[in-house]
Amino acid sequence: MKLSLGYPEATEEMELLNRVEERHPIGQLRPLMLSEEFASLQKEAARVHVDDTVKSYIVQLVTSTRQHPDIALGASPRASIALMRAAQGRAFLSGRSFVIPDDVKQMVLPILAHRLMLTAEAAMAGKPSESIMETIAATTPIPVRRYAPAQ
């Protein structure tokens, strides 16, 4: 996953310099949870149900990267797995036991955009992979069916 935080404002960067002038903050870091707790949360998130219609949606999105005229090398099957796992994590953090298409759509850019190799023409034209991925996401039909596991 690739996330971009951008740059701090000048006043925030000055404050950062003031905080690290005499000591580095890494020495004050304390764990928020034990590694066993983290592994347990990962296992719980992996149990979040992904309906076949949502899996198909993921495959359509990833396949579209392989067929787009501005993309020389599209996302791999590992990207499909990463997108599904990220969607499961998003659903888990939202308190759901199942993934909805919006979970997938919200994770498309951070999971897929940096995995694409653009054609030379697209790169020279300054087309960002993020905008290409946004177009793919906007034009891929969103499935409309039940997403929760049958009770």
Side-chain angles (χ1 to χ4, degrees):
M1 180 183 292
K2 179 182 176 187
L3 300 175
S4 177
L5 301 176
Y7 294 108
E9 296 293 324
T11 55
E12 295 168 329
E13 197 161 353
M14 284 291 294
E15 178 57 33
L16 172 68
L17 293 176
N18 288 334
R19 285 196 312 254
V20 300
E21 184 173 8
E22 293 181 21
R23 60 187 143 99
H24 199 282
I26 200 161
Q28 299 171 3
L29 290 179
R30 301 289 173 254
L32 295 175
M33 68 177 67
L34 299 173
S35 60
E36 297 82 20
E37 293 171 308
F38 185 73
S40 175
L41 288 174
Q42 283 181 311
K43 286 179 185 174
E44 285 184 54
R47 285 195 289 269
V48 170
H49 177 72
V50 186
D51 191 78
D52 283 346
T53 57
V54 177
K55 289 177 187 172
S56 177
Y57 179 51
I58 291 169
V59 169
Q60 288 174 22
L61 286 163
V62 172
T63 300
S64 293
T65 69
R66 300 174 197 151
Q67 299 166 346
H68 196 280
D70 288 332
I71 300 174
L73 186 61
S76 73
R78 285 181 56 232
S80 298
I81 295 167
L83 184 54
M84 182 181 75
R85 292 284 182 234
Q88 286 176 300
R90 186 174 189 278
F92 177 74
L93 292 174
S94 298
R96 278 182 277 103
S97 62
F98 57 94
V99 172
I100 60 174
D102 193 54
D103 295 321
V104 174
K105 198 164 188 177
Q106 292 299 315
M107 301 311 298
V108 162
L109 287 182
I111 298 297
L112 298 183
H114 71 283
R115 297 172 186 261
L116 310 177
M117 183 183 296
L118 302 184
T119 63
E121 295 81 10
M124 289 177 64
K127 293 184 180 180
S129 59
E130 290 82 5
S131 67
I132 294 170
M133 203 59 242
E134 286 172 348
T135 300
I136 290 172
T139 58
T140 302
I142 297 171
V144 284
R145 206 176 117 190
R146 81 170 163 82
Y147 305 108
Q151 299 290 339

